[in-house]
Amino acid sequence: GTMPGATATDPASYCNPPAPSVSIVKATNGADANDPNATGVPAIAAGGTVTWTYTVTNTGNTNVAQAAVVVSDNTTGVSPVFASETTGNGDLIFNPGEVWSYTATGVALNLVLPAPVGVTTVANSCTAGGTQGPRTAYTNVGTVTMPGATATDPSSYCNQPAPSVSIVKATIGADANDPNAT
């Protein structure tokens, strides 16, 4: 305020409180595959290569050192590692709005066999939205943790469907299964 012969000022400031937040999208061989029964779930032959990609976004308003951003998987032996900064300024600080990518690789299991310890499978899945007979799906969950925030996202794969064949033999245009039929 002011008065004749004197002036006083008092600045005021405020900051938004820290609000850490993070999101993760896990993909299996490029497919999000959250629902093991949905269309688009990868069909991978037993012994085939599996690549999991974990896309992590800083959705909060805090800066986080790279070492404090931890991406993990619930399956023993699947160990995501930092791959690249998809969007950002390259300073190894996970700034608000930045998107980082992590990857892990593995070998597809034979899902007809019992699952090894530490592996999650989902029976009666892999129907591709109801267009295929049910099989067992492999499902694992990616987790990102940083100070004050965590997020998870599942992803699945199926083995390739078993081949099937049917045959109808016709004799002079007629299905002649019964030799006594007229």
Side-chain angles (χ1 to χ4, degrees):
T2 62
M3 60 184 234
T7 300
T9 59
D10 184 14
S13 299
Y14 73 93
C15 297
N16 290 328
S21 180
V22 67
S23 71
I24 186 171
V25 175
K26 179 178 178 192
T28 301
N29 285 10
D32 193 7
N34 287 340
D35 177 356
N37 273 315
T39 57
V41 173
I44 307 169
T49 301
V50 184
T51 301
W52 293 283
T53 305
Y54 309 76
T55 302
V56 178
T57 305
N58 184 340
T59 55
N61 67 359
T62 58
N63 296 317
V64 181
Q66 183 179 21
V69 179
V70 178
V71 177
S72 60
D73 200 284
N74 72 322
T75 300
T76 305
V78 177
S79 303
V81 296
F82 180 80
S84 66
E85 184 176 80
T86 307
T87 61
N89 58 11
D91 65 358
L92 301 181
I93 302 294
F94 195 35
N95 304 116
E98 286 190 347
V99 179
W100 289 5
S101 178
Y102 294 75
T103 60
T105 57
V107 175
L109 299 175
N110 182 340
L111 298 172
V112 174
L113 303 175
V117 173
V119 171
T120 301
T121 57
V122 181
N124 297 314
S125 295
C126 303
T127 62
T131 62
Q132 299 175 357
R135 302 184 308 282
T136 298
Y138 171 103
T139 299
N140 55 347
V141 178
T143 300
V144 59
T145 303
M146 65 182 212
T150 189
T152 61
D153 191 44
S155 196
S156 302
Y157 72 80
C158 303
N159 289 149
Q160 295 170 325
S164 64
V165 66
S166 66
I167 187 169
V168 174
K169 182 178 178 184
T171 304
I172 312 175
D175 186 353
N177 288 341
D178 182 356
N180 296 317
T182 55

